[in-house]
């Protein structure tokens, strides 16, 4: 049932775009007690996400680079697309973690 709900949610346009924001918000809301802790959660999330993504992009890029011109184009596009996806997820996820920490601090003071 959960898989079906997940598949139906991803059929709605825009869910993929806001998923890092919502995930960062929820993760930080339950772990951080203020905005600075939320920022820390977001930065650690980004660091942990970047390492395997870059390694995988360079491994795939290295496989393509052994080919002629098409291989270099493929290697460049794999690395470029990976960097775009990482920056999108990192920026929205960090914004979500800061908002989650801020919202949690507002809830605890009231």
């Amino acid at each position: 049932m959960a898989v079906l709900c997940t598949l139906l949610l991803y059929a709605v346009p825009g869910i993929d775009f806001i998923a890092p924001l919502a995930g960062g918000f929820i993760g930080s809301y339950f772990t951080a007690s203020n905005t600075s802790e939320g920022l820390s959660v977001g930065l650690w999330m980004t660091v942990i996400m970047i390492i395997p993504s870059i390694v995988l992009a360079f491994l795939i890029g290295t496989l393509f680079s052994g080919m002629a011109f098409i291989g270099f184009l493929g290697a460049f596009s794999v690395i470029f697309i990976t960097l775009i996806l990482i920056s999108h997820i990192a920026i929205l996820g960090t914004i979500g973690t800061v908002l989650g920490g801020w919202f949690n601090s507002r809830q605890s003071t009231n």
Side-chain angles (χ1 to χ4, degrees):
M1 186 66 172
V3 173
L4 180 62
C5 291
T6 303
L7 290 174
L8 290 175
L9 276 177
Y10 278 105
V12 177
I15 293 291
D16 289 341
F17 185 76
I18 63 167
L21 182 71
F25 181 85
I26 292 168
S28 180
Y29 180 76
F30 288 115
T31 59
S33 61
N34 58 28
T35 307
S36 62
E37 285 182 11
L39 180 62
S40 175
V41 169
L43 293 177
W44 278 110
M45 172 201 65
T46 302
V47 168
I48 291 170
M49 176 189 61
I50 284 175
I51 295 168
S53 300
I54 294 294
V55 169
L56 184 63
F58 278 108
L59 286 176
I60 293 173
T62 304
L63 291 174
F64 282 136
S65 68
M67 299 177 199
F69 176 73
I70 302 288
F72 288 114
L73 186 62
F76 175 74
S77 64
V78 166
I79 293 169
F80 185 71
I81 290 170
T82 302
L83 291 176
I84 288 174
L85 290 174
I86 287 173
S87 61
H88 164 259
I89 293 169
I91 290 169
L92 285 179
T94 304
I95 291 171
T97 58
V98 169
L99 290 174
W102 176 77
F103 191 78
N104 191 10
S105 69
R106 298 275 301 183
Q107 291 292 329
S108 63
T109 57
N110 290 335

